[in-house]
mmCIF file of all heavy atoms in Angstrom:
data_model
loop_
_atom_site.group_PDB
_atom_site.id
_atom_site.type_symbol
_atom_site.label_atom_id
_atom_site.label_comp_id
_atom_site.label_asym_id
_atom_site.label_seq_id
_atom_site.Cartn_x
_atom_site.Cartn_y
_atom_site.Cartn_z
ATOM 1 N N LEU A 660 165.910 47.208 201.246
ATOM 2 C CA LEU A 660 165.002 48.259 201.709
ATOM 3 C C LEU A 660 165.371 49.610 201.110
ATOM 4 O O LEU A 660 164.491 50.375 200.691
ATOM 5 C CB LEU A 660 165.025 48.344 203.235
ATOM 6 C CG LEU A 660 164.229 47.287 203.999
ATOM 7 C CD1 LEU A 660 164.583 47.307 205.476
ATOM 8 C CD2 LEU A 660 162.729 47.505 203.816
ATOM 9 N N LEU A 661 166.654 49.913 201.068
ATOM 10 C CA LEU A 661 167.109 51.179 200.491
ATOM 11 C C LEU A 661 166.723 51.264 199.015
ATOM 12 O O LEU A 661 166.242 52.295 198.543
ATOM 13 C CB LEU A 661 168.626 51.312 200.651
ATOM 14 C CG LEU A 661 169.143 51.428 202.085
ATOM 15 C CD1 LEU A 661 170.666 51.346 202.111
ATOM 16 C CD2 LEU A 661 168.680 52.718 202.740
ATOM 17 N N VAL A 664 162.780 51.641 198.693
ATOM 18 C CA VAL A 664 162.221 52.960 199.001
ATOM 19 C C VAL A 664 162.618 53.980 197.946
ATOM 20 O O VAL A 664 161.830 54.873 197.601
ATOM 21 C CB VAL A 664 162.635 53.420 200.423
ATOM 22 C CG1 VAL A 664 164.071 53.907 200.475
ATOM 23 C CG2 VAL A 664 161.705 54.526 200.908
ATOM 24 N N LEU A 665 163.807 53.872 197.381
ATOM 25 C CA LEU A 665 164.207 54.764 196.291
ATOM 26 C C LEU A 665 163.301 54.564 195.075
ATOM 27 O O LEU A 665 162.852 55.533 194.450
ATOM 28 C CB LEU A 665 165.668 54.527 195.900
ATOM 29 C CG LEU A 665 166.721 55.072 196.859
ATOM 30 C CD1 LEU A 665 168.113 54.625 196.427
ATOM 31 C CD2 LEU A 665 166.666 56.597 196.940
ATOM 32 N N LEU A 668 159.865 56.021 195.900
ATOM 33 C CA LEU A 668 159.882 57.482 195.876
ATOM 34 C C LEU A 668 159.908 58.005 194.447
ATOM 35 O O LEU A 668 159.226 58.976 194.111
ATOM 36 C CB LEU A 668 161.100 58.012 196.643
ATOM 37 C CG LEU A 668 161.042 57.955 198.167
ATOM 38 C CD1 LEU A 668 162.402 58.304 198.754
ATOM 39 C CD2 LEU A 668 159.972 58.899 198.699
ATOM 40 N N GLY A 672 156.037 58.158 195.034
ATOM 41 C CA GLY A 672 156.065 59.158 196.093
ATOM 42 C C GLY A 672 156.009 58.564 197.484
ATOM 43 O O GLY A 672 155.776 57.369 197.682
ATOM 44 N N LEU A 673 156.194 59.428 198.466
ATOM 45 C CA LEU A 673 156.314 59.011 199.860
ATOM 46 C C LEU A 673 155.039 58.377 200.396
ATOM 47 O O LEU A 673 155.086 57.464 201.214
ATOM 48 C CB LEU A 673 156.675 60.233 200.721
ATOM 49 C CG LEU A 673 156.981 60.007 202.202
ATOM 50 C CD1 LEU A 673 158.143 59.050 202.366
ATOM 51 C CD2 LEU A 673 157.269 61.333 202.882
ATOM 52 N N SER A 676 155.015 54.755 200.251
ATOM 53 C CA SER A 676 156.244 54.145 200.773
ATOM 54 C C SER A 676 156.097 53.829 202.258
ATOM 55 O O SER A 676 157.009 54.051 203.045
ATOM 56 C CB SER A 676 157.434 55.099 200.562
ATOM 57 O OG SER A 676 157.536 55.496 199.230
ATOM 58 N N LEU A 681 156.777 48.460 202.339
ATOM 59 C CA LEU A 681 158.193 48.164 202.125
ATOM 60 C C LEU A 681 158.576 46.818 202.729
ATOM 61 O O LEU A 681 159.314 46.040 202.114
ATOM 62 C CB LEU A 681 159.058 49.274 202.713
ATOM 63 C CG LEU A 681 158.957 50.637 202.028
ATOM 64 C CD1 LEU A 681 159.650 51.713 202.857
ATOM 65 C CD2 LEU A 681 159.561 50.592 200.635
ATOM 66 N N PHE A 692 162.014 45.345 210.924
ATOM 67 C CA PHE A 692 162.378 46.618 210.288
ATOM 68 C C PHE A 692 162.975 47.578 211.309
ATOM 69 O O PHE A 692 163.990 48.239 211.045
ATOM 70 C CB PHE A 692 161.144 47.258 209.634
ATOM 71 C CG PHE A 692 161.390 48.656 209.131
ATOM 72 C CD1 PHE A 692 161.852 48.874 207.843
ATOM 73 C CD2 PHE A 692 161.168 49.762 209.945
ATOM 74 C CE1 PHE A 692 162.098 50.159 207.373
ATOM 75 C CE2 PHE A 692 161.399 51.049 209.492
ATOM 76 C CZ PHE A 692 161.871 51.244 208.199
ATOM 77 N N PHE A 696 166.234 50.176 211.189
ATOM 78 C CA PHE A 696 166.073 51.619 211.059
ATOM 79 C C PHE A 696 165.128 52.121 212.143
ATOM 80 O O PHE A 696 164.098 51.486 212.399
ATOM 81 C CB PHE A 696 165.489 51.980 209.682
ATOM 82 C CG PHE A 696 166.355 51.563 208.523
ATOM 83 C CD1 PHE A 696 166.103 50.386 207.846
ATOM 84 C CD2 PHE A 696 167.434 52.344 208.127
ATOM 85 C CE1 PHE A 696 166.899 49.995 206.780
ATOM 86 C CE2 PHE A 696 168.236 51.961 207.066
ATOM 87 C CZ PHE A 696 167.971 50.783 206.391
ATOM 88 N N SER A 698 163.147 54.674 212.082
ATOM 89 C CA SER A 698 161.912 55.235 211.543
ATOM 90 C C SER A 698 161.957 55.207 210.021
ATOM 91 O O SER A 698 163.018 55.011 209.419
ATOM 92 C CB SER A 698 161.717 56.677 212.016
ATOM 93 O OG SER A 698 162.732 57.509 211.457
ATOM 94 N N LYS A 699 160.799 55.422 209.405
ATOM 95 C CA LYS A 699 160.741 55.500 207.946
ATOM 96 C C LYS A 699 161.546 56.701 207.453
ATOM 97 O O LYS A 699 162.201 56.644 206.400
ATOM 98 C CB LYS A 699 159.297 55.609 207.468
ATOM 99 C CG LYS A 699 159.161 55.652 205.946
ATOM 100 C CD LYS A 699 157.718 55.700 205.503
ATOM 101 C CE LYS A 699 157.097 57.057 205.717
ATOM 102 N NZ LYS A 699 155.752 57.175 205.113
ATOM 103 N N GLU A 700 161.486 57.797 208.197
ATOM 104 C CA GLU A 700 162.202 59.013 207.787
ATOM 105 C C GLU A 700 163.712 58.787 207.744
ATOM 106 O O GLU A 700 164.392 59.247 206.819
ATOM 107 C CB GLU A 700 161.856 60.166 208.736
ATOM 108 C CG GLU A 700 160.438 60.673 208.626
ATOM 109 C CD GLU A 700 159.405 59.748 209.264
ATOM 110 O OE1 GLU A 700 159.797 58.963 210.149
ATOM 111 O OE2 GLU A 700 158.232 59.803 208.859
ATOM 112 N N GLU A 701 164.235 58.063 208.740
ATOM 113 C CA GLU A 701 165.669 57.769 208.745
ATOM 114 C C GLU A 701 166.026 56.826 207.599
ATOM 115 O O GLU A 701 167.102 56.939 207.003
ATOM 116 C CB GLU A 701 166.086 57.169 210.083
ATOM 117 C CG GLU A 701 166.085 58.158 211.243
ATOM 118 C CD GLU A 701 167.147 59.241 211.107
ATOM 119 O OE1 GLU A 701 168.092 59.060 210.314
ATOM 120 O OE2 GLU A 701 167.034 60.272 211.789
ATOM 121 N N LEU A 702 165.130 55.894 207.289
ATOM 122 C CA LEU A 702 165.354 55.020 206.136
ATOM 123 C C LEU A 702 165.463 55.852 204.858
ATOM 124 O O LEU A 702 166.348 55.615 204.026
ATOM 125 C CB LEU A 702 164.210 54.009 206.009
ATOM 126 C CG LEU A 702 164.116 53.258 204.670
ATOM 127 C CD1 LEU A 702 165.342 52.376 204.455
ATOM 128 C CD2 LEU A 702 162.831 52.443 204.594
ATOM 129 N N ILE A 703 164.584 56.822 204.693
ATOM 130 C CA ILE A 703 164.588 57.644 203.483
ATOM 131 C C ILE A 703 165.867 58.459 203.387
ATOM 132 O O ILE A 703 166.476 58.555 202.306
ATOM 133 C CB ILE A 703 163.343 58.544 203.453
ATOM 134 C CG1 ILE A 703 162.096 57.684 203.222
ATOM 135 C CG2 ILE A 703 163.459 59.609 202.358
ATOM 136 C CD1 ILE A 703 160.793 58.411 203.410
ATOM 137 N N LEU A 704 166.314 59.034 204.495
ATOM 138 C CA LEU A 704 167.571 59.791 204.461
ATOM 139 C C LEU A 704 168.738 58.883 204.090
ATOM 140 O O LEU A 704 169.605 59.268 203.292
ATOM 141 C CB LEU A 704 167.839 60.451 205.817
ATOM 142 C CG LEU A 704 166.928 61.611 206.216
ATOM 143 C CD1 LEU A 704 167.507 62.325 207.427
ATOM 144 C CD2 LEU A 704 166.729 62.604 205.082
ATOM 145 N N GLN A 705 168.766 57.695 204.670
ATOM 146 C CA GLN A 705 169.846 56.766 204.328
ATOM 147 C C GLN A 705 169.748 56.327 202.866
ATOM 148 O O GLN A 705 170.770 56.113 202.203
ATOM 149 C CB GLN A 705 169.814 55.555 205.263
ATOM 150 C CG GLN A 705 170.264 55.874 206.684
ATOM 151 C CD GLN A 705 170.664 54.645 207.467
ATOM 152 O OE1 GLN A 705 171.276 53.720 206.930
ATOM 153 N NE2 GLN A 705 170.330 54.619 208.746
ATOM 154 N N ALA A 706 168.512 56.203 202.367
ATOM 155 C CA ALA A 706 168.330 55.819 200.962
ATOM 156 C C ALA A 706 168.844 56.919 200.035
ATOM 157 O O ALA A 706 169.482 56.638 199.015
ATOM 158 C CB ALA A 706 166.860 55.535 200.681
ATOM 159 N N LEU A 707 168.578 58.171 200.378
ATOM 160 C CA LEU A 707 169.073 59.277 199.569
ATOM 161 C C LEU A 707 170.602 59.330 199.598
ATOM 162 O O LEU A 707 171.242 59.624 198.588
ATOM 163 C CB LEU A 707 168.473 60.601 200.052
ATOM 164 C CG LEU A 707 166.965 60.743 199.838
ATOM 165 C CD1 LEU A 707 166.452 62.023 200.498
ATOM 166 C CD2 LEU A 707 166.607 60.732 198.355
ATOM 167 N N ARG A 708 171.185 59.022 200.748
ATOM 168 C CA ARG A 708 172.653 58.926 200.835
ATOM 169 C C ARG A 708 173.162 57.770 199.979
ATOM 170 O O ARG A 708 174.193 57.875 199.316
ATOM 171 C CB ARG A 708 173.092 58.716 202.290
ATOM 172 C CG ARG A 708 172.900 59.915 203.206
ATOM 173 C CD ARG A 708 173.540 59.638 204.558
ATOM 174 N NE ARG A 708 173.412 60.756 205.468
ATOM 175 C CZ ARG A 708 172.530 60.818 206.463
ATOM 176 N NH1 ARG A 708 171.683 59.810 206.653
ATOM 177 N NH2 ARG A 708 172.472 61.873 207.244
ATOM 178 N N TYR A 709 172.441 56.661 200.012
ATOM 179 C CA TYR A 709 172.805 55.471 199.239
ATOM 180 C C TYR A 709 172.782 55.767 197.747
ATOM 181 O O TYR A 709 173.572 55.216 196.973
ATOM 182 C CB TYR A 709 171.823 54.358 199.600
ATOM 183 C CG TYR A 709 172.008 53.053 198.873
ATOM 184 C CD1 TYR A 709 173.064 52.195 199.185
ATOM 185 C CD2 TYR A 709 171.103 52.659 197.891
ATOM 186 C CE1 TYR A 709 173.214 50.981 198.534
ATOM 187 C CE2 TYR A 709 171.249 51.451 197.230
ATOM 188 C CZ TYR A 709 172.307 50.614 197.560
ATOM 189 O OH TYR A 709 172.457 49.412 196.906
ATOM 190 N N GLN A 710 171.882 56.649 197.327
ATOM 191 C CA GLN A 710 171.748 57.010 195.924
ATOM 192 C C GLN A 710 172.887 57.914 195.446
ATOM 193 O O GLN A 710 173.234 57.903 194.260
ATOM 194 C CB GLN A 710 170.406 57.725 195.717
ATOM 195 C CG GLN A 710 170.137 58.195 194.304
ATOM 196 C CD GLN A 710 168.775 58.843 194.151
ATOM 197 O OE1 GLN A 710 167.941 58.347 193.417
ATOM 198 N NE2 GLN A 710 168.547 59.955 194.846
ATOM 199 N N ALA A 749 165.387 59.183 192.659
ATOM 200 C CA ALA A 749 164.453 59.669 193.667
ATOM 201 C C ALA A 749 164.713 61.136 193.989
ATOM 202 O O ALA A 749 165.834 61.513 194.326
ATOM 203 C CB ALA A 749 164.562 58.837 194.935
ATOM 204 N N LEU A 751 162.635 64.202 196.267
ATOM 205 C CA LEU A 751 161.502 64.460 197.139
ATOM 206 C C LEU A 751 160.695 65.653 196.636
ATOM 207 O O LEU A 751 161.247 66.605 196.093
ATOM 208 C CB LEU A 751 161.982 64.745 198.564
ATOM 209 C CG LEU A 751 162.725 63.612 199.281
ATOM 210 C CD1 LEU A 751 163.180 64.089 200.649
ATOM 211 C CD2 LEU A 751 161.857 62.369 199.405
ATOM 212 N N GLU A 755 156.895 66.190 200.692
ATOM 213 C CA GLU A 755 157.683 65.095 201.259
ATOM 214 C C GLU A 755 158.839 65.625 202.090
ATOM 215 O O GLU A 755 159.129 65.095 203.166
ATOM 216 C CB GLU A 755 158.182 64.194 200.130
ATOM 217 C CG GLU A 755 157.077 63.365 199.486
ATOM 218 C CD GLU A 755 157.483 62.709 198.180
ATOM 219 O OE1 GLU A 755 158.553 63.067 197.637
ATOM 220 O OE2 GLU A 755 156.743 61.849 197.700
ATOM 221 N N GLU A 758 157.348 66.838 205.371
ATOM 222 C CA GLU A 758 156.936 65.730 206.233
ATOM 223 C C GLU A 758 158.135 65.082 206.906
ATOM 224 O O GLU A 758 158.112 64.788 208.114
ATOM 225 C CB GLU A 758 156.162 64.697 205.420
ATOM 226 C CG GLU A 758 155.676 63.513 206.232
ATOM 227 C CD GLU A 758 154.896 62.506 205.415
ATOM 228 O OE1 GLU A 758 154.409 62.861 204.329
ATOM 229 O OE2 GLU A 758 154.772 61.349 205.871
ATOM 230 N N ILE A 759 159.191 64.857 206.148
ATOM 231 C CA ILE A 759 160.381 64.225 206.719
ATOM 232 C C ILE A 759 161.059 65.158 207.714
ATOM 233 O O ILE A 759 161.464 64.737 208.802
ATOM 234 C CB ILE A 759 161.356 63.814 205.599
ATOM 235 C CG1 ILE A 759 160.742 62.679 204.769
ATOM 236 C CG2 ILE A 759 162.694 63.371 206.171
ATOM 237 C CD1 ILE A 759 161.518 62.349 203.522
ATOM 238 N N PHE A 771 172.467 65.398 207.649
ATOM 239 C CA PHE A 771 172.062 65.202 206.257
ATOM 240 C C PHE A 771 172.428 66.415 205.409
ATOM 241 O O PHE A 771 172.848 66.269 204.252
ATOM 242 C CB PHE A 771 170.567 64.933 206.167
ATOM 243 C CG PHE A 771 170.097 64.611 204.775
ATOM 244 C CD1 PHE A 771 170.460 63.417 204.172
ATOM 245 C CD2 PHE A 771 169.317 65.512 204.061
ATOM 246 C CE1 PHE A 771 170.048 63.117 202.882
ATOM 247 C CE2 PHE A 771 168.903 65.216 202.771
ATOM 248 C CZ PHE A 771 169.265 64.022 202.182
#
Side-chain angles (χ1 to χ4, degrees):
L660 282 168
L661 294 172
V664 77
L665 285 174
L668 285 171
L673 186 59
S676 306
L681 293 169
F692 172 89
F696 299 97
S698 66
K699 182 178 75 172
E700 291 75 23
E701 289 293 343
L702 165 64
I703 290 170
L704 290 192
Q705 288 199 38
L707 293 173
R708 290 187 179 102
Y709 178 74
Q710 179 178 243
L751 297 177
E755 289 167 348
E758 181 179 340
I759 292 171
F771 185 69

